[in-house]
Amino acid sequence: MQDDLTDIEKEDIDRAIALSLSEEDHKGKKVVDYDSQSEDEELCKIDDEEDEHLVKVHLEEEERLAKIQQEEEERLAKIQQDERLAKIQQEDERLAKAQLEEDEQLARAIQESLKIGSPPRYDNDSSILSFPHLFPPGYRICAGCKTEIGQGRFLSCMGGVWHPECFCCHACHLPITDYEFSMSSNRPYHKACYREKHHPRCDVCKNFIPTNSSGLIEYRAHPFWLQKYCPSHELDGTPRCCSCERMESRDTKYLLLDDGRKLCLECLDSSIMDTHECQPLYLEIQEFYEGLNMKLEQQIPMLLVERQALNEAMEGEKNGHHHLPETRGLCLSEEQTVTTISRRPRIGAGYRAIDMITEPYRLIRHCEVTAILVLYGLPRLLTGSILAHEMMHAWLRLKGYPNLSPEVEEGICQVLAHMWLESELYSGTGNDGASSSASSSSSSSPSSSVSTKKGKRSDFEKKLGEFFKHQIESDTSSAYGDGFRLGNQAMLKYGLKRTLDHIHMTGSFPY
């Protein structure tokens, strides 16, 4: 049959068979290829997971090993640091011990060579120089010249080291070579220079004020003038000025009055020495009272007297209050003969008052008051305050005030003396109406801004007036001190007139 086919038909059949076989091959191949790809993907996924797990395990292991290594390094570092610190401490202790031994050896050697014994003990201001030491060049820098200290001696003190020629006294600027020195404000001094500069000297004997049994400097000081002096001068008869109370210094001379009192030259400059010289001041006090509407109608004699005459007149007075131990003024009510000073003395050899002329003065009683006596030789401001005080006694008696207690009578008299001093020192600055009128009265007088015959008031005289005020204000006696403070308090609160009216009715100060 095949033989019956033509060649063309055979070729077509062969081609169809070949095509059919080709399609089947392709189908089978596709099936095989698909199954192989799926398996490969699954294997790749498994490999990836295993790789990730291995990486994670590897990282954790590396972190654990790194942590262990860090802890080991820190432990080793701490051990090394502790060992290094221990070595440094041991080395410092060894050097310090060696240095101490060397210092002690050098100190003993230098002490033996200089033959210096143990130093005496002084007060807390003293410091002790260390012994010189020897160190190699460049070991220390001088605290004085700021240069290197080489081989040789140097001083170790005040927290530094010094060339011996650089450690100098702050007063004389010379090197301090003594074994001990003194300190003040962190500055070194020779002990002699420190004593000269800082140790107080007595204003009387000009010597250094000695220490007491406890080693402390003990001195006395005037509460107002602050004059410093040795305690011994209160017992050795050193005179005081009868006016300002300052002690007489060994390098000055005080005027010796004929009644034994001493007067310093500053107080002498404004002193009033005789009755005639005091009359203008007496008129000023009268004008002061007129300015307060307290005019005295009667003319009362005023006399300057010596201490002896004042004491004799005081003994002849039946009534009256006296400020002991020193009476410097007196308001008399009895008839007496008083020795008054008619001409001022002159200054003779040895600063003595000589050639003073006195005369007797017979006091005749025309009223309740016969005279006002004031001690001569006192400065103008003190004389005026005494006159103002005694004139108030006279005013109370002439105006018929009852017998008053010493505290009330002396107290109100001191108030008037204090007011007059204020009017002289602070003209126009009174505290109330009474003080203002007193100031205006005194300011109308030519002498309110001018002293006595000497011209304008000196700075010392102003200071002296402050002292007299201080005396009145700080008096400790019952009559003069407490009385003044009660009277002044009442006058400042109620005024002078109402205070006087209350005294007249009740015999006491208003409260």
Side-chain angles (χ1 to χ4, degrees):
M1 179 178 180
Q2 291 179 351
D3 294 337
D4 292 339
L5 294 175
T6 65
D7 294 331
I8 296 170
E9 288 177 343
K10 289 180 181 179
E11 290 177 2
D12 290 337
I13 292 171
D14 293 333
R15 189 180 298 111
I17 293 171
L19 181 62
S20 175
L21 291 172
S22 176
E23 289 177 355
E24 288 178 0
D25 291 338
H26 282 292
K27 290 180 180 179
K29 188 175 181 180
K30 288 182 180 177
V31 172
V32 172
D33 291 342
Y34 176 78
D35 294 338
S36 176
Q37 183 179 2
S38 299
E39 185 178 355
D40 291 339
E41 288 177 355
E42 185 177 356
L43 291 174
C44 289
K45 184 177 180 182
I46 293 173
D47 291 338
D48 290 340
E49 289 177 353
E50 288 180 352
D51 291 341
E52 289 177 356
H53 177 71
L54 291 175
V55 169
K56 184 176 180 181
V57 171
H58 181 68
L59 291 175
E60 290 177 352
E61 182 67 17
E62 286 182 348
E63 289 177 356
R64 187 179 66 81
L65 292 175
K67 185 176 181 181
I68 293 173
Q69 183 177 0
Q70 183 180 1
E71 291 176 351
E72 183 67 18
E73 289 176 353
E74 290 177 353
R75 186 180 66 82
L76 292 174
K78 185 176 180 182
I79 293 173
Q80 292 175 355
Q81 184 179 7
D82 292 342
E83 292 176 351
R84 185 167 58 254
L85 292 176
K87 290 180 180 179
I88 293 174
Q89 185 176 1
Q90 292 176 357
E91 182 66 17
D92 290 342
E93 292 176 353
R94 187 186 65 79
L95 291 175
K97 184 177 180 180
Q99 185 66 54
L100 180 61
E101 292 175 354
E102 182 181 359
D103 291 349
E104 291 176 351
Q105 291 175 0
L106 289 173
R108 285 194 294 270
I110 294 173
Q111 185 175 10
E112 291 175 0
S113 64
L114 296 178
K115 295 183 179 180
I116 299 178
S118 299
R121 297 185 64 182
Y122 285 86
D123 53 30
N124 292 333
D125 288 326
S126 297
S127 300
I128 300 178
L129 284 172
S130 301
F131 284 107
H133 302 287
L134 296 175
F135 286 96
Y139 191 86
R140 292 289 187 271
I141 299 298
C142 176
C145 65
K146 308 301 182 184
T147 61
E148 181 181 296
I149 296 178
Q151 290 285 357
R153 295 158 59 99
F154 69 85
L155 307 176
S156 176
C157 54
M158 295 177 58
V161 289
W162 311 69
H163 291 111
E165 64 273 12
C166 293
F167 190 67
C168 297
C169 172
H170 187 70
C172 68
H173 306 293
L174 296 177
I176 299 177
T177 58
D178 301 330
Y179 185 59
E180 291 191 355
F181 65 96
S182 296
M183 290 287 297
S184 177
S185 301
N186 203 31
R187 293 169 176 170
Y189 292 85
H190 290 111
K191 292 192 69 65
C193 292
Y194 178 86
R195 181 181 177 89
E196 186 69 30
K197 186 176 181 66
H198 296 283
H199 194 111
R201 285 183 179 271
C202 175
D203 291 330
V204 175
C205 65
K206 304 304 179 181
N207 297 322
F208 292 115
I209 295 178
T211 57
N212 58 19
S213 57
S214 301
L216 302 176
I217 300 173
E218 179 183 358
Y219 61 86
R220 303 289 184 267
H222 193 281
F224 184 84
W225 302 104
L226 303 181
Q227 183 187 38
K228 300 188 295 292
Y229 52 89
C230 304
S232 59
H233 296 315
E234 292 185 337
L235 305 173
D236 61 6
T238 300
R240 294 178 181 267
C241 174
C242 63
S243 167
C244 66
E245 296 185 352
R246 292 179 299 175
M247 279 193 169
E248 181 178 6
S249 174
R250 299 288 168 82
D251 58 358
T252 61
K253 291 294 183 181
Y254 283 14
L255 177 66
L256 177 62
L257 303 177
D258 65 337
D259 55 10
R261 291 178 293 141
K262 284 287 193 83
L263 189 67
C264 72
L265 300 185
E266 288 89 351
C267 290
L268 176 64
D269 189 55
S270 64
S271 64
I272 299 178
M273 290 293 187
D274 61 48
T275 300
H276 174 74
E277 190 178 20
C278 192
Q279 291 305 314
L281 179 59
Y282 186 37
L283 293 177
E284 291 178 27
I285 306 299
Q286 292 176 355
E287 292 176 1
F288 171 76
Y289 270 78
E290 290 180 14
L292 298 173
N293 297 317
M294 297 171 60
K295 182 178 180 179
L296 276 76
E297 303 297 338
Q298 293 85 350
Q299 291 296 320
I300 302 172
M302 188 279 304
L303 307 174
L304 253 62
V305 297
E306 299 175 86
R307 176 192 281 175
Q308 182 179 355
L310 189 64
N311 292 336
E312 290 175 354
M314 184 174 60
E315 291 176 0
E317 188 72 8
K318 296 179 180 179
N319 299 314
H321 311 297
H322 315 298
H323 192 186
L324 299 177
E326 179 67 47
T327 299
R328 296 184 289 195
L330 190 63
C331 180
L332 294 181
S333 300
E334 305 294 331
E335 292 189 352
Q336 296 188 43
T337 300
V338 178
T339 302
T340 182
I341 300 173
S342 59
R343 193 181 76 179
R344 63 183 288 122
R346 65 182 182 88
I347 301 176
Y351 281 87
R352 297 180 63 92
I354 60 174
D355 295 342
M356 182 173 65
I357 297 178
T358 61
E359 59 183 9
Y361 189 99
R362 177 64 182 173
L363 301 177
I364 300 175
R365 183 168 182 168
H366 298 288
C367 59
E368 289 295 321
V369 180
T370 56
I372 292 176
L373 307 184
V374 178
L375 195 62
Y376 91 102
L378 301 177
R380 175 185 176 274
L381 290 176
L382 180 55
T383 303
S385 66
I386 296 172
L387 273 173
H389 177 101
E390 299 302 331
M391 193 175 290
M392 189 60 190
H393 280 300
W395 190 89
L396 292 172
R397 296 179 191 179
L398 294 175
K399 295 300 180 180
Y401 277 67
N403 290 330
L404 302 175
S405 66
E407 186 178 72
V408 174
E409 183 166 349
E410 298 297 345
I412 195 64
C413 291
Q414 285 292 76
V415 169
L416 269 293
H418 190 269
M419 287 173 60
W420 181 81
L421 283 171
E422 280 193 328
S423 72
E424 288 289 292
L425 296 175
Y426 316 115
S427 180
T429 59
N431 293 326
D432 61 5
S435 297
S436 298
S437 61
S439 300
S440 62
S441 171
S442 62
S443 63
S444 64
S445 172
S447 62
S448 61
S449 60
V450 178
S451 184
T452 53
K453 67 280 176 186
K454 301 286 184 180
K456 287 189 178 296
R457 186 175 298 125
S458 66
D459 291 339
F460 176 80
E461 191 176 2
K462 296 175 185 176
K463 184 74 171 178
L464 197 59
E466 294 289 349
F467 169 63
F468 298 145
K469 278 186 57 187
H470 169 77
Q471 278 189 310
I472 295 174
E473 295 163 356
S474 60
D475 196 308
T476 58
S477 66
S478 173
Y480 287 78
D482 296 339
F484 162 75
R485 286 180 280 276
L486 290 173
N488 194 55
Q489 182 179 2
M491 188 272 294
L492 293 175
K493 185 175 182 180
Y494 300 105
L496 182 60
K497 184 179 184 305
R498 291 179 62 187
T499 299
L500 290 174
D501 291 342
H502 191 276
I503 293 174
H504 191 269
M505 289 186 296
T506 65
S508 62
F509 291 119
Y511 291 98

